Amino acid sequence: MSIKLTNGKKIITRTKEQYEANIKTFELRGFVPVDEVKKEIKKATVKDISDKVVELKPKKKKKAKKKWKI
């Protein structure tokens, strides 16, 4: 029987015997069984989004350089 492990970025599949023999190694590298990981889903509200909006300053207009005629 195989078991799926994740470290948050990637998922690997190993046999149950291999996992049980090397539990400390997998935990050291940050891998835990996928069943134990629960993802929290948070819905964004308009209030949360409007608090984080930062208004940008208007850009300064550059003056054109005067060309010299020779």
Side-chain angles (χ1 to χ4, degrees):
M1 181 175 186
S2 62
I3 185 168
K4 289 187 177 184
L5 304 168
T6 183
N7 67 349
K9 294 181 182 178
K10 61 181 172 179
I11 298 174
I12 60 172
T13 306
R14 297 288 185 255
T15 60
K16 184 99 173 174
E17 296 82 26
Q18 184 181 6
Y19 173 70
E20 289 174 355
N22 300 312
I23 289 177
K24 289 185 180 181
T25 305
F26 286 116
E27 287 178 358
L28 186 77
R29 295 182 179 169
F31 285 96
V32 292
V34 175
D35 300 336
E36 295 179 8
V37 179
K38 295 182 181 178
K39 295 181 181 178
E40 294 182 22
I41 299 173
K42 180 181 175 186
K43 293 185 179 180
T45 59
V46 177
K47 183 180 176 184
D48 294 337
I49 297 171
S50 63
D51 292 341
K52 296 179 182 179
V53 173
V54 177
E55 293 186 22
L56 301 174
K57 295 178 184 177
K59 292 184 178 179
K60 293 181 180 179
K61 295 183 178 178
K62 295 182 179 178
K63 295 181 181 179
K65 292 184 179 179
K66 192 172 185 180
K67 296 184 179 179
W68 294 88
K69 293 183 181 179
I70 298 178

Coordinates of all heavy atoms in Angstrom, one line a residue:
M1 N 0.8 -1.2 0.0 CA 0.0 0.0 0.0 C 0.9 1.2 0.0 O 1.9 1.3 0.7 CB -0.9 0.0 1.2 CG -1.8 1.1 1.3 SD -2.9 0.9 2.7 CE -4.0 2.3 2.4
S2 N 0.5 2.2 -0.8 CA 1.3 3.4 -0.8 C 0.7 4.6 0.0 O -0.5 4.6 0.3 CB 1.5 3.9 -2.3 OG 0.2 4.2 -2.8
I3 N 1.5 5.5 0.3 CA 1.0 6.7 1.1 C 1.5 8.0 0.4 O 2.7 8.0 -0.1 CB 1.5 6.6 2.6 CG1 1.0 7.7 3.4 CG2 3.0 6.6 2.6 CD1 1.2 7.5 4.9
K4 N 0.7 9.0 0.4 CA 1.1 10.3 -0.2 C 1.6 11.2 0.9 O 1.0 11.4 1.9 CB -0.1 10.9 -0.9 CG -0.5 10.2 -2.2 CD -1.5 10.9 -3.0 CE -1.8 10.2 -4.3 NZ -2.8 11.0 -5.1
L5 N 2.7 11.8 0.6 CA 3.4 12.8 1.5 C 3.5 14.1 0.9 O 3.7 14.2 -0.3 CB 4.7 12.3 2.0 CG 4.8 10.9 2.6 CD1 6.3 10.5 2.7 CD2 4.2 10.9 3.9
T6 N 3.4 15.2 1.6 CA 3.5 16.5 1.1 C 4.3 17.4 2.0 O 4.3 17.2 3.3 CB 2.2 17.2 0.8 OG1 2.4 18.5 0.2 CG2 1.3 17.4 2.1
N7 N 5.0 18.4 1.5 CA 5.8 19.3 2.3 C 5.2 20.7 2.0 O 5.8 21.7 2.4 CB 7.3 19.3 2.0 CG 7.6 19.7 0.6 OD1 6.8 19.9 -0.3 ND2 8.9 19.9 0.3
G8 N 4.1 20.8 1.4 CA 3.5 22.1 1.1 C 3.6 22.5 -0.4 O 2.8 23.2 -1.0
K9 N 4.8 22.1 -1.0 CA 5.0 22.5 -2.4 C 4.8 21.3 -3.3 O 4.3 21.5 -4.4 CB 6.5 23.0 -2.5 CG 6.8 24.2 -1.8 CD 8.2 24.7 -2.0 CE 8.5 25.9 -1.3 NZ 9.9 26.3 -1.4
K10 N 5.2 20.1 -2.9 CA 5.1 19.0 -3.8 C 4.5 17.8 -3.0 O 4.6 17.7 -1.8 CB 6.4 18.7 -4.5 CG 7.5 18.3 -3.6 CD 8.8 18.0 -4.4 CE 10.0 17.8 -3.5 NZ 11.2 17.5 -4.3
I11 N 4.0 16.8 -3.8 CA 3.5 15.6 -3.2 C 4.3 14.4 -3.8 O 4.5 14.3 -5.0 CB 2.0 15.4 -3.6 CG1 1.2 16.6 -3.0 CG2 1.4 14.1 -3.1 CD1 -0.3 16.6 -3.4
I12 N 4.7 13.5 -2.9 CA 5.4 12.3 -3.3 C 4.6 11.1 -2.8 O 3.9 11.2 -1.8 CB 6.8 12.3 -2.8 CG1 6.9 12.3 -1.2 CG2 7.7 13.4 -3.3 CD1 8.3 12.1 -0.6
T13 N 4.8 10.0 -3.5 CA 4.2 8.7 -3.1 C 5.2 7.7 -2.7 O 6.2 7.5 -3.5 CB 3.3 8.2 -4.3 OG1 2.5 9.2 -4.7 CG2 2.6 7.0 -3.9
R14 N 5.1 7.1 -1.5 CA 6.0 6.1 -1.0 C 5.2 5.0 -0.5 O 4.1 5.1 -0.1 CB 6.9 6.7 0.1 CG 7.8 7.8 -0.3 CD 8.9 7.3 -1.2 NE 9.9 8.4 -1.6 CZ 9.9 9.0 -2.8 NH1 9.1 8.6 -3.7 NH2 10.8 9.9 -3.0
T15 N 5.9 3.8 -0.3 CA 5.2 2.7 0.2 C 5.1 2.9 1.8 O 5.9 3.6 2.4 CB 6.0 1.4 0.0 OG1 7.3 1.5 0.6 CG2 6.1 1.1 -1.5
K16 N 4.1 2.3 2.3 CA 3.8 2.4 3.8 C 5.0 1.9 4.6 O 5.4 2.5 5.6 CB 2.6 1.6 4.1 CG 2.1 1.7 5.5 CD 1.0 2.7 5.6 CE 0.5 2.7 7.1 NZ -0.5 3.7 7.3
E17 N 5.7 0.8 4.1 CA 6.8 0.2 4.9 C 8.0 1.2 4.8 O 8.7 1.4 5.8 CB 7.2 -1.1 4.3 CG 6.2 -2.2 4.4 CD 5.1 -2.1 3.3 OE1 5.4 -1.6 2.2 OE2 4.0 -2.6 3.6
Q18 N 8.2 1.8 3.6 CA 9.3 2.7 3.5 C 9.1 4.0 4.4 O 10.0 4.5 5.0 CB 9.5 3.2 2.1 CG 10.7 4.1 1.8 CD 10.8 4.5 0.4 OE1 10.0 4.2 -0.4 NE2 11.9 5.2 0.1
Y19 N 7.9 4.4 4.5 CA 7.5 5.6 5.3 C 7.8 5.3 6.8 O 8.4 6.1 7.5 CB 6.1 6.1 5.0 CG 5.7 7.2 6.0 CD1 6.2 8.4 5.9 CD2 4.7 6.9 7.0 CE1 5.8 9.4 6.8 CE2 4.3 7.9 7.9 CZ 4.9 9.1 7.8 OH 4.5 10.1 8.7
E20 N 7.3 4.2 7.2 CA 7.4 3.8 8.6 C 8.9 3.6 9.0 O 9.2 3.9 10.2 CB 6.6 2.5 8.9 CG 5.1 2.8 8.9 CD 4.2 1.6 9.0 OE1 4.8 0.4 9.1 OE2 3.0 1.7 9.1
A21 N 9.7 3.1 8.1 CA 11.1 2.9 8.4 C 11.9 4.2 8.5 O 12.9 4.3 9.2 CB 11.7 2.0 7.3
N22 N 11.4 5.2 7.8 CA 12.1 6.5 7.7 C 11.3 7.7 8.1 O 11.4 8.8 7.5 CB 12.6 6.7 6.3 CG 13.5 5.6 5.8 OD1 14.5 5.2 6.5 ND2 13.3 5.0 4.7
I23 N 10.5 7.5 9.1 CA 9.6 8.6 9.6 C 10.4 9.8 10.0 O 10.0 10.9 9.6 CB 8.7 8.1 10.8 CG1 7.6 7.1 10.2 CG2 8.0 9.3 11.4 CD1 6.7 6.6 11.3
K24 N 11.4 9.7 10.7 CA 12.2 10.8 11.2 C 12.8 11.6 10.0 O 12.9 12.8 10.0 CB 13.3 10.3 12.2 CG 12.8 9.9 13.5 CD 13.9 9.5 14.4 CE 13.4 9.1 15.8 NZ 14.4 8.7 16.7
T25 N 13.3 10.9 9.0 CA 13.9 11.5 7.8 C 12.8 12.3 7.1 O 13.1 13.5 6.7 CB 14.5 10.5 6.9 OG1 15.4 9.6 7.6 CG2 15.2 11.1 5.7
F26 N 11.7 11.8 6.9 CA 10.6 12.5 6.2 C 10.2 13.7 7.0 O 9.9 14.8 6.5 CB 9.4 11.6 5.9 CG 9.7 10.6 4.8 CD1 9.7 9.3 5.1 CD2 9.9 11.1 3.5 CE1 9.9 8.4 4.1 CE2 10.1 10.2 2.5 CZ 10.1 8.8 2.8
E27 N 10.1 13.6 8.4 CA 9.7 14.7 9.2 C 10.8 15.8 9.2 O 10.5 17.0 9.2 CB 9.4 14.3 10.6 CG 8.1 13.5 10.8 CD 7.9 13.0 12.2 OE1 8.7 13.2 13.1 OE2 6.8 12.4 12.4
L28 N 12.0 15.4 9.2 CA 13.1 16.3 9.1 C 13.1 17.2 7.9 O 13.4 18.4 7.9 CB 14.5 15.6 9.2 CG 15.7 16.4 9.3 CD1 15.8 16.9 10.8 CD2 16.9 15.6 9.0
R29 N 12.7 16.5 6.8 CA 12.6 17.2 5.5 C 11.2 18.0 5.3 O 11.0 18.6 4.3 CB 12.8 16.3 4.3 CG 14.2 15.7 4.4 CD 14.5 14.8 3.3 NE 15.9 14.3 3.4 CZ 16.4 13.3 2.7 NH1 15.7 12.7 1.8 NH2 17.6 13.0 2.8
G30 N 10.4 17.9 6.3 CA 9.1 18.6 6.2 C 7.9 17.9 5.6 O 6.9 18.5 5.3
F31 N 8.1 16.6 5.3 CA 7.0 15.8 4.7 C 6.1 15.2 5.8 O 6.5 14.7 6.8 CB 7.5 14.7 3.9 CG 8.1 15.2 2.6 CD1 9.5 15.4 2.4 CD2 7.3 15.4 1.5 CE1 10.0 15.8 1.2 CE2 7.9 15.8 0.3 CZ 9.2 16.0 0.2
V32 N 4.7 15.4 5.5 CA 3.7 14.8 6.4 C 2.7 14.1 5.5 O 2.5 14.5 4.3 CB 3.0 15.8 7.3 CG1 4.0 16.4 8.3 CG2 2.5 17.0 6.5
P33 N 2.0 13.2 6.0 CA 0.9 12.5 5.2 C -0.1 13.6 4.7 O -0.5 14.5 5.5 CB 0.3 11.5 6.1 CG 1.4 11.2 7.0 CD 2.1 12.4 7.2
V34 N -0.7 13.4 3.5 CA -1.6 14.4 3.0 C -2.9 14.4 3.8 O -3.5 15.4 3.9 CB -1.9 14.0 1.5 CG1 -3.0 14.9 0.9 CG2 -0.7 14.1 0.7
D35 N -3.3 13.2 4.4 CA -4.5 13.2 5.2 C -4.5 14.1 6.4 O -5.5 14.6 6.8 CB -4.7 11.7 5.7 CG -4.9 10.8 4.5 OD1 -5.2 11.2 3.4 OD2 -4.6 9.6 4.7
E36 N -3.3 14.3 7.0 CA -3.1 15.2 8.1 C -3.2 16.7 7.8 O -3.4 17.5 8.7 CB -1.8 14.8 8.9 CG -1.8 13.4 9.5 CD -0.5 13.1 10.1 OE1 0.3 14.1 10.3 OE2 -0.3 12.0 10.5
V37 N -2.9 17.0 6.6 CA -2.9 18.4 6.2 C -4.3 18.9 5.8 O -4.9 18.3 5.0 CB -1.9 18.6 5.0 CG1 -1.9 20.1 4.5 CG2 -0.5 18.1 5.3
K38 N -4.7 19.9 6.5 CA -6.0 20.5 6.2 C -5.8 21.9 5.7 O -5.1 22.7 6.3 CB -6.9 20.5 7.4 CG -7.2 19.2 8.0 CD -8.1 19.2 9.2 CE -8.4 17.9 9.7 NZ -9.2 17.9 10.9
K39 N -6.4 22.2 4.5 CA -6.3 23.5 3.9 C -7.5 24.3 4.4 O -8.6 23.9 4.4 CB -6.4 23.4 2.4 CG -5.2 22.7 1.8 CD -5.2 22.6 0.3 CE -4.0 21.9 -0.2 NZ -4.1 21.8 -1.7
E40 N -7.2 25.6 4.8 CA -8.2 26.5 5.3 C -8.6 27.4 4.1 O -7.7 27.9 3.4 CB -7.7 27.3 6.4 CG -7.5 26.5 7.7 CD -7.0 27.4 8.8 OE1 -7.3 28.7 8.8 OE2 -6.4 26.9 9.8
I41 N -9.8 27.5 3.8 CA -10.3 28.4 2.8 C -10.9 29.6 3.4 O -11.9 29.5 4.2 CB -11.3 27.6 1.9 CG1 -10.6 26.4 1.2 CG2 -11.9 28.6 0.8 CD1 -11.6 25.5 0.5
K42 N -10.4 30.8 3.0 CA -10.9 32.0 3.6 C -11.5 32.8 2.4 O -10.8 33.0 1.4 CB -9.8 32.8 4.3 CG -10.3 34.1 4.9 CD -9.1 34.8 5.6 CE -9.6 36.2 6.0 NZ -8.5 37.0 6.5
K43 N -12.7 33.2 2.6 CA -13.3 34.1 1.5 C -13.0 35.5 1.8 O -13.1 36.0 2.9 CB -14.8 33.8 1.5 CG -15.2 32.5 1.1 CD -16.7 32.3 0.9 CE -17.1 30.9 0.5 NZ -18.5 30.8 0.3
A44 N -12.5 36.2 0.8 CA -12.2 37.6 0.9 C -13.5 38.4 0.8 O -14.4 38.2 0.0 CB -11.3 38.0 -0.2
T45 N -13.6 39.4 1.6 CA -14.7 40.3 1.6 C -14.3 41.7 1.0 O -13.1 42.0 1.0 CB -15.3 40.5 3.0 OG1 -14.3 41.1 3.9 CG2 -15.8 39.2 3.6
V46 N -15.2 42.5 0.7 CA -14.9 43.8 0.1 C -14.2 44.6 1.1 O -13.3 45.4 0.8 CB -16.2 44.4 -0.4 CG1 -15.9 45.8 -0.9 CG2 -16.9 43.6 -1.5
K47 N -14.6 44.5 2.4 CA -14.0 45.3 3.5 C -12.5 44.9 3.6 O -11.7 45.8 3.7 CB -14.7 45.0 4.8 CG -14.2 45.8 5.9 CD -14.9 45.5 7.2 CE -14.4 46.2 8.4 NZ -15.0 45.9 9.6
D48 N -12.1 43.7 3.5 CA -10.7 43.2 3.6 C -9.9 43.8 2.5 O -8.8 44.2 2.7 CB -10.6 41.7 3.7 CG -11.3 41.1 4.9 OD1 -11.4 41.8 5.9 OD2 -11.6 39.9 4.9
I49 N -10.5 43.8 1.3 CA -9.7 44.2 0.1 C -9.6 45.7 0.1 O -8.5 46.2 -0.2 CB -10.5 43.7 -1.2 CG1 -10.5 42.2 -1.2 CG2 -9.8 44.3 -2.4 CD1 -11.4 41.7 -2.3
S50 N -10.6 46.5 0.5 CA -10.5 47.9 0.5 C -9.5 48.4 1.5 O -8.9 49.5 1.3 CB -11.9 48.5 0.7 OG -12.4 48.2 2.0
D51 N -9.3 47.7 2.6 CA -8.3 48.2 3.6 C -6.9 48.1 3.1 O -6.0 48.8 3.5 CB -8.5 47.3 4.9 CG -9.8 47.6 5.6 OD1 -10.4 48.7 5.3 OD2 -10.2 46.8 6.4
K52 N -6.6 47.1 2.2 CA -5.3 46.9 1.7 C -4.9 47.7 0.4 O -3.8 47.6 0.0 CB -5.1 45.4 1.4 CG -5.3 44.6 2.7 CD -5.1 43.1 2.4 CE -5.3 42.3 3.7 NZ -5.2 40.9 3.4
V53 N -5.8 48.5 -0.1 CA -5.5 49.2 -1.3 C -4.7 50.4 -1.0 O -5.0 51.2 -0.1 CB -6.9 49.7 -2.0 CG1 -6.6 50.6 -3.2 CG2 -7.6 48.5 -2.4
V54 N -3.6 50.6 -1.7 CA -2.7 51.7 -1.5 C -2.8 52.6 -2.7 O -2.6 52.1 -3.9 CB -1.3 51.3 -1.3 CG1 -0.3 52.5 -1.1 CG2 -1.2 50.4 0.0
E55 N -3.1 53.9 -2.6 CA -3.2 54.8 -3.7 C -1.8 55.2 -4.1 O -0.9 55.5 -3.3 CB -4.0 56.0 -3.4 CG -5.5 55.7 -3.1 CD -6.3 56.9 -2.9 OE1 -5.9 58.0 -3.4 OE2 -7.4 56.8 -2.3
L56 N -1.5 55.2 -5.4 CA -0.2 55.5 -5.9 C -0.1 57.0 -6.2 O -1.1 57.7 -6.5 CB 0.0 54.8 -7.3 CG 0.0 53.3 -7.2 CD1 0.1 52.7 -8.6 CD2 1.1 52.8 -6.3
K57 N 1.1 57.6 -6.0 CA 1.3 59.0 -6.3 C 1.4 59.2 -7.8 O 1.9 58.4 -8.5 CB 2.6 59.5 -5.6 CG 2.6 59.4 -4.1 CD 3.9 59.8 -3.5 CE 4.0 59.6 -2.0 NZ 5.3 59.9 -1.5
P58 N 0.9 60.4 -8.2 CA 1.0 60.6 -9.7 C 2.5 60.8 -10.1 O 3.3 61.4 -9.3 CB 0.2 61.9 -9.9 CG 0.1 62.5 -8.5 CD 0.2 61.4 -7.5
K59 N 2.8 60.4 -11.3 CA 4.2 60.5 -11.7 C 4.5 62.0 -12.1 O 3.6 62.7 -12.6 CB 4.4 59.6 -13.0 CG 4.4 58.2 -12.7 CD 4.7 57.4 -13.9 CE 4.7 55.9 -13.6 NZ 5.0 55.1 -14.8
K60 N 5.7 62.4 -11.9 CA 6.1 63.7 -12.2 C 6.4 63.8 -13.7 O 7.0 62.9 -14.3 CB 7.4 64.2 -11.5 CG 7.1 64.3 -10.0 CD 8.4 64.8 -9.3 CE 8.2 64.9 -7.8 NZ 9.4 65.3 -7.1
K61 N 5.9 64.8 -14.3 CA 6.2 65.0 -15.8 C 7.6 65.5 -16.0 O 8.0 66.5 -15.3 CB 5.2 65.9 -16.4 CG 3.8 65.4 -16.4 CD 2.8 66.3 -17.1 CE 1.4 65.7 -17.0 NZ 0.4 66.6 -17.7
K62 N 8.3 64.9 -16.9 CA 9.7 65.4 -17.2 C 9.6 66.5 -18.3 O 8.8 66.4 -19.2 CB 10.5 64.2 -17.7 CG 10.7 63.1 -16.7 CD 11.6 62.0 -17.3 CE 11.8 60.9 -16.2 NZ 12.6 59.8 -16.7
K63 N 10.4 67.5 -18.0 CA 10.5 68.6 -19.0 C 11.4 68.1 -20.2 O 12.4 67.5 -20.0 CB 11.1 69.8 -18.4 CG 10.2 70.4 -17.3 CD 10.8 71.6 -16.7 CE 9.9 72.2 -15.6 NZ 10.5 73.4 -15.0
A64 N 11.0 68.5 -21.4 CA 11.8 68.2 -22.5 C 13.1 69.0 -22.5 O 13.1 70.1 -22.2 CB 11.0 68.5 -23.8
K65 N 14.1 68.3 -22.9 CA 15.4 69.0 -22.9 C 15.5 69.9 -24.2 O 15.0 69.5 -25.2 CB 16.6 68.0 -23.0 CG 16.7 67.2 -21.7 CD 17.9 66.2 -21.7 CE 18.0 65.5 -20.4 NZ 19.1 64.6 -20.4
K66 N 16.1 71.0 -24.0 CA 16.3 71.9 -25.1 C 17.4 71.5 -26.0 O 18.5 71.2 -25.5 CB 16.5 73.3 -24.6 CG 16.4 74.4 -25.5 CD 16.5 75.8 -24.9 CE 16.2 76.9 -25.9 NZ 16.3 78.2 -25.2
K67 N 17.2 71.4 -27.3 CA 18.2 71.0 -28.2 C 18.9 72.2 -28.7 O 18.3 73.2 -29.1 CB 17.6 70.2 -29.4 CG 17.0 68.9 -29.0 CD 16.5 68.1 -30.2 CE 15.9 66.8 -29.7 NZ 15.4 66.1 -30.9
W68 N 20.2 72.2 -28.7 CA 21.0 73.3 -29.2 C 21.4 73.1 -30.7 O 21.8 72.1 -31.1 CB 22.3 73.4 -28.4 CG 22.1 73.7 -27.0 CD1 21.8 72.9 -26.0 CD2 22.0 75.0 -26.4 NE1 21.6 73.5 -24.8 CE2 21.8 74.9 -25.0 CE3 22.2 76.3 -26.9 CZ2 21.6 76.0 -24.2 CZ3 22.1 77.4 -26.1 CH2 21.8 77.2 -24.7
K69 N 21.2 74.2 -31.4 CA 21.5 74.1 -32.8 C 22.9 74.8 -33.0 O 23.1 75.9 -32.5 CB 20.5 74.9 -33.7 CG 19.1 74.2 -33.6 CD 18.2 74.9 -34.5 CE 16.8 74.3 -34.5 NZ 15.8 75.0 -35.3
I70 N 23.7 74.1 -33.8 CA 25.0 74.6 -34.0 C 25.2 74.9 -35.5 O 24.7 74.3 -36.4 CB 26.1 73.7 -33.6 CG1 26.0 73.5 -32.1 CG2 27.5 74.2 -34.0 CD1 27.0 72.5 -31.5

